[in-house]
Structure formats: structure tokens, C-alpha cells
Amino acid sequence: MYNDKNAQTIVDYIQNFTRKNSLFMLAYGTGCGAIELPATLTSRYDAERLGVRGAATPRQADLLLITGYLSTKTLKRVIRVYEQMQDPKYVIGFGSCTINGGMYWDSYNTIKLLDKYIPVDVYINGCMPRPESVISGFQELKRLIAAGKADGAKKYKENLEWYRENQKKVLKNWPLVEYNW
Amino acid sequence: MNTILIQILGALATILLAFIVGMFYGGAHRKVIARIQNRVGPPIYQNFIDVLKLYSKETSINHGVMQHMGPVFAITASITSLMFVPILTDGNWFSNLNFSGDLVFLVYMMVFGSLGMALGAGQTGNPNSAIGVTRGLSQMVGYEIPFVMAMVALMTQFHTTSITGMIAVQQQSGTWLMFSNPFAFMAAIMAMLGMFSYAPFDIVTAPAEVSSGPISEFGGKYLGMMMTSGSIFAFVKLALFVDIFMGGASNLVVLVIKTFALYMIPVLYGVISPRYRTEQAITYFWKWPLFFGFIAILYAAF
Amino acid sequence: MGTTYSKEEILAQQLQTAFEHLITEVVRKDTVFAFATKEQVSSILLYAKEKLGYISFVHLSCVDWLESGEFELVYIIWSPETKINLFVKTRLDRENPSMENTDMIWRQINTYQREIREMFGVEFPGFVGEKEFILEDWEDAPPMRRDFDTLEYVNDTFFEREGREDKQDVRERIAKRSGEEIPDFAKKYSRE
């Protein structure tokens, strides 16, 4: 009875419904993109009507929004923040810097592809993406969650060694802590 | 046997009622803020979705025993205080555990949740938690004094320490206590602003200053428990104030109307106010509320 | 009567009287260059600060003259009375460059020295400061040197998104598609 497939489907449906309609967002403002977020969250575009809400610490957050380029120094902190978040967790890469390096494509100190280091569920392209694009990114993430396809955290768990190898290529002497599942 | 069954069912119904009403009030709070800021705002049931999601999250943080006990203390304190507040004036349902000294007991019990929280937050070792706890306890010292003074004034004036006694006084005289001792009401309402710790008194969980303070290490299910406890406790405070100052409520509709009207005071006061600093908050409570508290006691004595 | 001197020329003469073999140049209004040797720099800075009123330290930067095999350090100081920017320039050998520590004259030079040590590899013996400043775990050559090949380093260290290897110039295709012309000034930026 309890392992009934239909029952599980219903539970999954409810879980996904709540997860997609209540996203606690930790906006990691690394670059210029952070300036788009106040507009997204306040009166003009009001992301709170979609259930997106700011979280103060990684422990409370579901969604890590990385706004802009990541220097190798920042990447360390981002990895630590990502690993402190609790499952289920999602990552949105914001701006072309997280996609292919953007205007920092030949910088000696700025990583180019974010998804080689932590799994990214949705990308928002543009330089800068306007608040409309950010909200469209949220909607895309919601669609993925509803379909059960936003499984970046699972991917990270399964391919942890691959991710660690990539991370260690950049962060040479940084003690990467053991993952706290 | 039958009365015990009714009591247990009534207690469960009370918890459910407090949870649902508190959650909807939380949603209404967010909606009101949004409308005042000219936003659409989240749906009024948004807090239910949040809590359900938080309960379905995995929680794998371990900082020690007290960290796991902190949210439990908070929720226990909320439910215990709920049990001692008469929700409706008549009928066996929702009467729960009233006894003749329950006002004194409640004044003590309402602090217990914060203390449990403080213990739990202290165990996490997060510096923001420690700062948040210090701020919270300082603020409690601020608002507890006028609140207790208002309660003492009422107790001396009407020679009763029970909430049902207060309700009986109001039913006999026909006037609400907020009119028969307005100074006590003023002091208690100003203390209530601090109890809810909405803006401008949200110094404990200020996200921009101390990263949500005591709860900064609590995620997932623990945060869900905090939210549940918070909404139940909000209902407890509102029901207590309605019982003492507004003549209680004879049925649920009246209860909801009265509590909602009372709830709008801290909400609306908060929407238009920026956050105080800690010492500003404490001096706020130690000025006018304290003054009204003294006047209330003098008014009650003579 | 004798010729009147501008305040810039007065400063240049003051410096030349105080230091032998110092070459000075009045570049424009409010700007004076002084080309000093490595040993003179700290005494010039101290003299300008104590005697001439150049109390404000503006900037310390480094220029890589790869062709002549030298680094050039530029100390910029400013006086609130004369409102002149005094540039004290000195050349260092590019092999094992080292410069006297001057952070006791102005404390904020410390930060600039840390940055220059990290980015150009110029050593400041006797200078106390954390080894790592902006870069962490850096094992390669100092990255602001001109012989450091950034692109090669980036290609070695970071990843390229797949499907972008050809790096085609699609501007002409887009211009043709939308029926526009590429303006002349933009043509010289073509990748070919």
C-alpha cells in the first residue's frame, strides 16, 4: 500500500508543487549582475508573487543565484556555499560570464564555465540579463522542477570525483572539506 | 471519560486552528506589505507552501544536541502557552487548561520559547546566531517590563489572576478592559509591537545585519518548525490580547475579526518604519510604554 | 628685471639643487616628472614630503618596458599648496628586479608594494606584508608581466565551451541577413 506507485506519484507531485512555488534564493552577487536583483525583487518586477524570496544564509536557501563572473578566489566560497545548502538545491547561472566567460574570456584569474565546477540547472544569458530574463529563468527552473528534471544536486553527488578534480585544477592549495550530505 | 475525550479533541482542534489562522495571518502580513509597496505580493497561502516545502527538505546539519532541541523547545513553548489561553468565551471546546493563576503562568511561559531558541542557536557556534540571541534577549528585557506592568495593573484592579476572570469582569461590566484601563492597554500594545518583532523591532532576525540571527544555521525541517511555532505563537499572543482587552470572542468569526484587527497594529506600524538599532529599540520600550505602565498601576491602585 | 618662473619650474629647480644628476621635466601645468636612480627615490620622496610640502601620496604603479629590459616604478605625490603632481620615476633591471622598501614614508605604499610584488614580481627587501594579496595559490609567472601569455594560460587552465572552437566571424552573415552594412570603423576589428 505504502509503496504504491500512484501514492508515490501523488507525493512527488505535491513535493514538486511546493518546491517550485517556494524558492528561497541566495543571491551570490559576485559581479555587476547583482544590481539587477533589487529591481527583480522590488515593486517593479516583484518576484515574490512567484514565490521567490530572499534567504539570508545558505542553510535556508534552495536556490543559489550566481550573478556574474567568478574569480578563482570567489569560486572557493561559492563551492563552500553550495555544499552548505540542503537538498534539494538548485543553481542558476546568471549572465554570459557564467556560461562562457563573457568579457572575461581571457582573464588569468576568472573561470569560464561554471558548470564544470558546480552543477547548474538553468542559465540566463545576456550581459546584463534584464529582470524580465531573470524572471523567465525562474519560470524555466520551475518548469524543470515540476517535471522532476532539476537534479543538479543528484548529479553533483554522483559525479563528485569529477567535480572535485576540476575544482582542484584551479584551487590548488585550498582544503576542500569533506562533503556534508 | 467523555469530557476527557472532548478535552483532547478540543486541544488538537485548538492547535490546528492556531496553526491555520497563524499561517494565514503570516500570508496576510506579506500581502499587506506587498500592497503597500505597490506590488502584487505572494498569494495569501504562500506560507503553507513554504512550510510544506521546508518539511520536505533534507536536513543534515549537526552541531550538537541542543541544536536539535532548540526548535523543539520553541514549538513546545508555543503549544503550551496556547493550551492556557481560552480561545472562546463559552463552550467546552477550546477551553483547554485554564486555571485560576494562568495569567501569571503565561507571562512566564511566553519567554520560554525564546530561551529555548537561544540555547539551540548558541550551540550552532555561528557568530551571527550569538549576536542575534543577545539582541533578542536585550529586546525581551525591553518589552517584558511594560507588558508585566500592564498585567499587574489589571490584576490589582480587578483582583483576579485568571484570564477567564478577566473575561467575566468584562462581561459583567459590559465594557472592554481597553476602555476601563486604557493606560494598561497602551502599555501592553506597545509591548506587543516588540513581541511580534516585526519592523521596526526586527533587530533579532535582521537579514542584512546578522543574516537572520538565531536561525541562521537552521535550515530545512528546523526552519519549518520555527515557522510553525512562530505562527502558533502569533495566534497565542493575539488571542491573549483579545481575551484580556477586547472582551474575548463568543464564536470563531468574532475571534478572527478581533484578532485580525489587533494583528494589523504591528503589521501596519512595521510597514512604514525602518529598523531600529538595538539600543533604540530598548529605549523605545523604556520610555512611553514604561510611563503608561506606571500610570496604569496608579490608575488601578486608586 | 629677471624672468619670472612658474611654480612647476621652481619645483624642478628645487629638486635639482637638492639632488645632483637628477633629470627633471615640466610636462604640463601641474605635472612635473623627476627621473631618479634607484637609490635616490626614497630620499627624494622624503625631501619632497618634509621640505616641499608634498604630503599626499597618490599612487605607485609599475610599467613593464619589455623591449629595453626594464621595469619602471612611478611614485606620484601631490602637494595641497602648489597643487602639483610630482612623478618620481625610476628604472629597475628586469632580471631579479628589486626596489628599496619605502612604506615607512607613507604607510599606504605597503599595499601598492604588495600588489606590485604579486603582479610584476618586483621584490621589496625588508618589507613586511602578506605574501598573497589578490591572487591565491598562484604558481605561474607574475601575470601582469608582458611576457606572460594570458591566453595560453587560460587555455591550459580553464575550460572552453564545446562548439565554440572555430570562433567564426559571423558579423558579415548577420549584416547580410538583416540588410545592414558594417560601418568602416568597425571593419578593422575583424578577426581575420
Side-chain angles (χ1 to χ4, degrees):
Chain A
M1 173 72 197
Y2 294 110
N3 292 325
D4 193 346
K5 218 170 181 184
N6 289 331
Q8 191 57 44
T9 320
I10 293 169
V11 169
D12 277 354
Y13 178 80
I14 294 174
Q15 276 195 348
N16 287 339
F17 175 79
T18 59
R19 278 169 190 174
K20 78 172 185 185
N21 280 311
S22 157
L23 289 169
F24 285 17
M25 173 183 70
L26 184 72
Y28 199 98
T30 55
C32 30
I35 203 69
E36 301 292 330
L37 288 175
T40 313
L41 291 173
T42 50
S43 305
R44 176 88 189 237
Y45 293 100
D46 188 23
E48 200 183 1
R49 74 200 142 97
L50 307 169
V52 181
R53 184 184 190 185
T57 66
R59 296 293 195 197
Q60 302 164 0
D62 310 309
L63 166 61
L64 182 60
L65 186 75
I66 293 174
T67 58
Y69 65 90
L70 289 172
S71 68
T72 53
K73 214 170 171 178
T74 325
L75 182 68
K76 295 169 184 173
R77 278 79 192 180
V78 165
I79 291 168
R80 185 158 282 184
V81 163
Y82 180 71
E83 295 186 352
Q84 279 186 354
M85 285 163 63
Q86 303 290 300
D87 284 353
K89 53 190 175 186
Y90 318 103
V91 179
I92 291 186
F94 171 107
S96 37
C97 294
T98 53
I99 299 173
N100 55 15
M103 62 189 279
Y104 302 98
W105 64 279
D106 63 347
S107 163
Y108 55 86
N109 206 18
T110 311
I111 61 153
K112 280 163 71 162
L113 298 187
L114 180 58
D115 54 4
K116 297 280 179 186
Y117 306 99
I118 55 175
V120 180
D121 294 299
V122 174
Y123 277 116
I124 306 168
N125 71 349
C127 180
M128 300 305 301
R130 283 183 52 78
E132 293 97 329
S133 333
V134 183
I135 285 178
S136 130
F138 289 150
Q139 298 293 66
E140 174 68 16
L141 179 67
K142 284 183 171 190
R143 200 183 57 72
L144 287 179
I145 293 173
K149 283 179 190 160
D151 53 355
K154 211 173 118 204
K155 221 162 68 185
Y156 192 70
K157 267 186 219 178
E158 282 166 2
N159 305 314
L160 184 63
E161 284 182 11
W162 185 78
Y163 282 112
R164 276 278 185 268
E165 199 180 301
N166 286 343
Q167 289 164 5
K168 278 188 179 140
K169 198 174 169 194
V170 186
L171 320 176
K172 286 156 196 140
N173 300 321
W174 180 260
L176 290 160
V177 288
E178 283 302 304
Y179 200 91
N180 174 9
W181 298 112
Chain B
M1 194 64 207
N2 222 357
T3 51
I4 290 177
L5 193 68
I6 282 185
Q7 283 239 317
I8 292 173
L9 284 177
L12 290 178
T14 317
I15 296 170
L16 201 65
L17 175 83
F19 176 68
I20 291 173
V21 173
M23 278 289 162
F24 270 120
Y25 282 7
H29 179 209
R30 288 170 71 174
K31 194 84 183 169
V32 166
I33 289 180
R35 291 310 298 154
I36 288 177
Q37 293 174 353
N38 204 2
R39 288 191 280 135
V40 178
I44 199 165
Y45 53 83
Q46 179 69 45
N47 274 11
F48 285 102
I49 302 180
D50 284 354
V51 160
L52 262 180
K53 180 213 67 178
L54 287 172
Y55 278 127
S56 77
K57 277 194 84 143
E58 283 178 25
T59 309
S60 57
I61 314 162
N62 185 12
H63 290 294
V65 181
M66 279 316 293
Q67 186 235 345
H68 302 288
M69 295 297 288
V72 181
F73 274 152
I75 211 163
T76 313
S78 303
I79 290 178
T80 317
S81 356
L82 177 66
M83 287 298 107
F84 289 93
V85 177
I87 306 294
L88 296 181
T89 46
D90 33 46
N92 287 329
W93 287 76
F94 303 125
S95 68
N96 299 326
L97 297 171
N98 305 306
F99 67 100
S100 56
D102 52 3
L103 195 49
V104 181
F105 178 75
L106 261 177
V107 169
Y108 161 72
M109 200 62 202
M110 285 167 84
V111 187
F112 184 72
S114 314
L115 289 179
M117 259 309 304
L119 286 175
Q123 176 96 65
T124 61
N126 191 318
N128 287 324
S129 303
I131 299 172
V133 166
T134 344
R135 287 175 167 210
L137 296 182
S138 323
Q139 181 169 335
M140 213 155 72
V141 172
Y143 68 71
E144 278 294 317
I145 292 177
F147 178 65
V148 171
M149 283 173 90
M151 292 300 121
V152 167
L154 294 182
M155 288 178 208
T156 46
Q157 188 173 1
F158 301 105
H159 304 289
T160 170
T161 52
S162 97
I163 304 171
T164 38
M166 297 275 182
I167 297 173
V169 166
Q170 297 177 67
Q171 279 172 340
Q172 277 165 14
S173 65
T175 45
W176 291 355
L177 281 197
M178 59 190 276
F179 300 119
S180 34
N181 192 343
F183 303 108
F185 180 66
M186 288 298 292
I189 280 291
M190 284 167 129
M192 190 179 80
L193 296 178
M195 275 184 204
F196 272 97
S197 46
Y198 292 155
F201 300 105
D202 55 347
I203 54 173
V204 183
T205 56
E209 292 169 23
V210 288
S211 318
S212 77
I215 54 174
S216 55
E217 278 291 310
F218 292 96
K221 297 186 175 66
Y222 294 147
L223 194 61
M225 282 163 87
M226 298 287 182
M227 275 182 77
T228 316
S229 146
S231 18
I232 292 179
F233 200 51
F235 181 78
V236 170
K237 286 176 275 194
L238 292 171
L240 177 70
F241 273 73
V242 165
D243 279 343
I244 294 178
F245 289 109
M246 297 168 81
S250 53
N251 59 49
L252 287 179
V253 179
V254 179
L255 178 81
V256 167
I257 292 171
K258 281 183 179 174
T259 46
F260 192 75
L262 201 61
Y263 185 65
M264 279 300 115
I265 294 174
V267 169
L268 293 180
Y269 187 75
V271 173
I272 53 161
S273 315
R275 189 183 303 129
Y276 280 150
R277 292 199 306 268
T278 315
E279 79 275 12
Q280 285 172 327
I282 294 171
T283 28
Y284 177 94
F285 292 121
W286 284 356
K287 274 182 189 163
W288 287 106
L290 206 61
F291 173 74
F292 282 126
F294 273 117
I295 300 284
I297 288 182
L298 293 178
Y299 183 82
F302 302 106
Chain C
M1 298 297 282
T3 48
T4 50
Y5 293 104
S6 67
K7 55 178 184 178
E8 290 84 5
E9 284 163 348
I10 292 170
L11 171 65
Q13 282 167 11
Q14 276 172 331
L15 286 174
Q16 269 171 347
T17 12
F19 298 94
E20 285 178 31
H21 313 302
L22 182 71
I23 303 164
T24 52
E25 182 190 346
V26 178
V27 181
R28 55 179 172 271
K29 188 172 177 291
D30 289 344
T31 307
V32 176
F33 283 6
F35 300 95
T37 60
K38 196 171 138 182
E39 291 77 20
Q40 277 178 325
V41 168
S42 62
S43 45
I44 293 178
L45 292 179
L46 207 56
Y47 177 75
K49 186 186 180 187
E50 300 294 336
K51 301 284 180 195
L52 306 179
Y54 284 75
I55 53 172
S56 173
F57 176 77
V58 181
H59 194 71
L60 164 61
S61 74
C62 186
V63 185
D64 186 356
W65 295 99
L66 182 62
E67 289 78 9
S68 50
E70 281 173 325
F71 283 121
E72 184 176 42
L73 287 183
V74 185
Y75 295 78
I76 308 175
I77 54 181
W78 182 77
S79 157
E81 287 152 20
T82 59
K83 308 269 192 292
I84 296 178
N85 278 314
L86 173 60
F87 289 61
V88 183
K89 299 188 171 192
T90 182
R91 294 268 179 144
L92 311 176
D93 192 16
R94 212 164 174 284
E95 301 295 320
N96 300 321
S98 85
M99 179 64 200
E100 198 182 340
N101 176 28
T102 45
D103 70 346
M104 61 291 246
I105 305 176
W106 279 283
R107 221 169 40 169
Q108 56 267 43
I109 291 187
N110 192 306
T111 312
Y112 292 99
Q113 284 180 354
R114 277 175 73 188
E115 187 188 355
I116 287 172
R117 178 170 68 184
E118 188 159 69
M119 291 298 178
F120 290 92
V122 178
E123 285 297 326
F124 296 89
F127 141 66
V128 181
E130 286 286 320
K131 191 75 191 165
E132 286 184 339
F133 183 40
I134 294 167
L135 304 171
E136 285 180 355
D137 307 339
W138 189 262
E139 290 162 359
D140 224 293
M144 296 294 273
R145 287 192 180 198
R146 275 169 64 204
D147 54 358
F148 173 76
D149 192 341
T150 317
L151 195 57
E152 192 192 318
Y153 177 80
V154 167
N155 287 337
D156 284 350
T157 316
F158 303 122
F159 301 92
E160 188 90 0
R161 186 163 302 284
E162 286 156 28
R164 299 287 172 88
E165 290 88 352
D166 50 352
K167 292 203 184 71
Q168 287 177 354
D169 193 353
V170 291
R171 290 182 303 168
E172 280 181 17
R173 229 184 299 161
I174 292 173
K176 199 182 281 178
R177 197 169 60 203
S178 56
E180 291 169 3
E181 279 192 16
I182 301 178
D184 285 337
F185 68 83
K187 275 178 185 158
K188 65 181 173 196
Y189 297 113
S190 167
R191 286 209 188 91
E192 274 76 48

